[in-house]
Amino acid sequence: MNKILSYLGSFKFWKDLFIMTLGMMIAAAAVYYFMIPSKLVLGSISGLSIVISNLFAVAGIQLKVSFVVTAINAILLVLAWLLIGKEFGAKTVYTAMILGPMLELWEKILPYEKLIEPGLTSVMGDPLLDLVCFVLVVSISQTILFNINASTGGLDILAKIFNKYLHFDIGVSVTVAGAIICCTAFFINPFRIVVTGLVGTWMNGLALDYFTASLNRRKRVCIITKDHEPIRRYIIEKLNRGCSLYEVKGGYSGEVNVEIQALLTQDEFSNLMNYIRNQDFHAFITAGNVSEIYGLWNNQKRRVGRGSKE
């Protein structure tokens, strides 16, 4: 109990709560201003629920779409808790609960009817533009939430399960989960509508991968130099990052040098390069982008032990 109370009073809890609320406000804006007016049909739990409801109706069993949505989301939330983790499950419960109120909030702030010009049927006035705007905005929301181990619920839970156990990129996971759901719509919808949903789901996956990679991008820098000691000290003492040292031998010259490897943010990498230039060290440097890091990396700067690699 004390641990729970301590967490509720921590900066991390309130920061995550703010980020989740902001992320869901963005998601609600995408749904309210682009999905609802244009009646977009994409791979989602709502779409799957419509299919299931219609299939049961054919069999003579009446199931409301709202009931099916609630039932599927309840099952997915339990799976999120069991398969992904309690933190992800708890955060997703919160985000799923506030989506409805957020839609009503946007309706009160700025009804979409005021943005639709005379003669048009949606905010953008073109189904393709509505689709592109919806995908871009909702992908930003998904990226924000996935980055703090949360989601918008529904389809995102399936995507997170695929991401964790099948090791797909998160964008690919969203595409696969959405495509499976979209294909179920062949039972009840025209071919054109289903293909539109598939294209939108594919675009969502691409945009999500792009935003995720941009948000998580780090620099993997490799420095081969005889002046490794001052550079090592600068990385650890000034940048508060870890690094690894390797002894390397030149294939042409036969000289023995030390290679320093470190993972840095873009700002830290720029500072390191300025330091090396100002000190006029003789060094051979390569750098590349890294979008996924596992292990000891911490987004907050911290002091780490000598010789460790984050």
Side-chain angles (χ1 to χ4, degrees):
M1 186 64 182
N2 290 334
K3 186 180 293 186
I4 296 176
L5 292 176
S6 176
Y7 174 69
L8 293 178
S10 67
F11 173 75
K12 182 181 185 303
F13 170 78
W14 292 105
K15 182 187 75 172
D16 286 355
L17 187 68
F18 171 79
I19 293 174
M20 286 188 291
T21 305
L22 175 64
M24 289 309 296
M25 281 196 70
I26 296 173
V31 172
Y32 181 73
Y33 290 110
F34 302 114
M35 191 175 191
I36 293 176
S38 60
K39 298 178 176 61
L40 288 173
V41 179
L42 299 178
S44 64
I45 296 305
S46 298
L48 178 61
S49 300
I50 293 171
V51 173
I52 292 175
S53 177
N54 278 269
L55 291 177
F56 271 93
V58 172
I61 303 174
Q62 297 298 321
L63 282 180
K64 291 185 178 180
V65 174
S66 59
F67 172 80
V68 180
V69 169
T70 302
I72 294 177
N73 275 322
I75 294 171
L76 289 175
L77 287 172
V78 172
L79 289 176
W81 185 278
L82 296 176
L83 299 179
I84 303 175
K86 295 180 180 179
E87 179 186 1
F88 180 86
K91 288 179 176 179
T92 303
V93 168
Y94 171 74
T95 56
M97 288 175 59
I98 66 172
L99 177 59
M102 288 294 181
L103 292 173
E104 294 183 5
L105 179 62
W106 281 117
E107 185 177 9
K108 291 184 180 297
I109 294 174
L110 181 63
Y112 67 74
E113 290 87 355
K114 292 185 178 181
L115 300 177
I116 299 177
E117 297 180 5
L120 301 180
T121 58
S122 64
V123 172
M124 301 305 296
D126 182 276
L128 181 58
L129 288 177
D130 287 312
L131 178 64
V132 171
C133 291
F134 171 78
V135 166
L136 289 177
V137 176
V138 83
S139 295
I140 293 173
S141 168
Q142 290 172 311
T143 303
I144 292 171
L145 293 172
F146 281 136
N147 193 55
I148 60 167
N149 197 29
S151 77
T152 60
L155 174 64
D156 287 356
I157 297 176
L158 286 177
K160 190 70 174 178
I161 292 173
F162 290 163
N163 171 251
K164 180 175 181 178
Y165 291 98
L166 299 180
H167 306 291
F168 292 162
D169 288 340
I170 192 63
V172 175
S173 300
V174 168
T175 301
V176 171
I180 292 172
I181 293 175
C182 276
C183 288
T184 64
F186 277 116
F187 291 108
I188 63 170
N189 284 336
F191 180 79
R192 180 180 61 84
I193 294 178
V194 177
V195 170
T196 301
L198 288 170
V199 171
T201 302
W202 173 68
M203 291 171 56
N204 184 198
L206 291 179
L208 183 56
D209 265 346
Y210 173 78
F211 290 131
T212 301
S214 299
L215 187 64
N216 296 327
R217 184 172 293 138
R218 301 291 182 263
K219 284 288 186 182
R220 180 177 182 269
V221 57
C222 301
I223 308 168
I224 299 177
T225 178
K226 290 182 178 180
D227 301 308
H228 63 275
E229 184 56 27
I231 296 176
R232 183 193 68 82
R233 287 201 307 268
Y234 181 84
I235 293 173
I236 292 177
E237 296 172 5
K238 299 298 183 180
L239 300 182
N240 293 315
R241 290 296 181 193
C243 63
S244 296
L245 307 181
Y246 303 93
E247 188 175 278
V248 295
K249 184 176 182 180
Y252 178 77
S253 65
E255 291 184 2
V256 176
N257 290 302
V258 171
E259 178 184 40
I260 303 174
Q261 288 192 23
L263 294 174
L264 308 172
T265 65
Q266 184 61 54
D267 288 341
E268 292 165 351
F269 174 68
S270 298
N271 291 337
L272 176 62
M273 292 302 294
N274 288 333
Y275 171 74
I276 293 174
R277 279 194 294 266
N278 292 336
Q279 297 297 319
D280 198 24
F281 291 134
H282 181 68
F284 177 75
I285 304 170
T286 59
N289 291 323
V290 176
S291 60
E292 291 191 42
I293 301 173
Y294 303 95
L296 299 179
W297 175 271
N298 193 322
N299 286 325
Q300 296 179 349
K301 291 185 177 181
R302 59 187 177 88
R303 184 69 175 270
V304 296
R306 292 181 58 177
S308 67
K309 182 177 179 182
E310 294 186 282

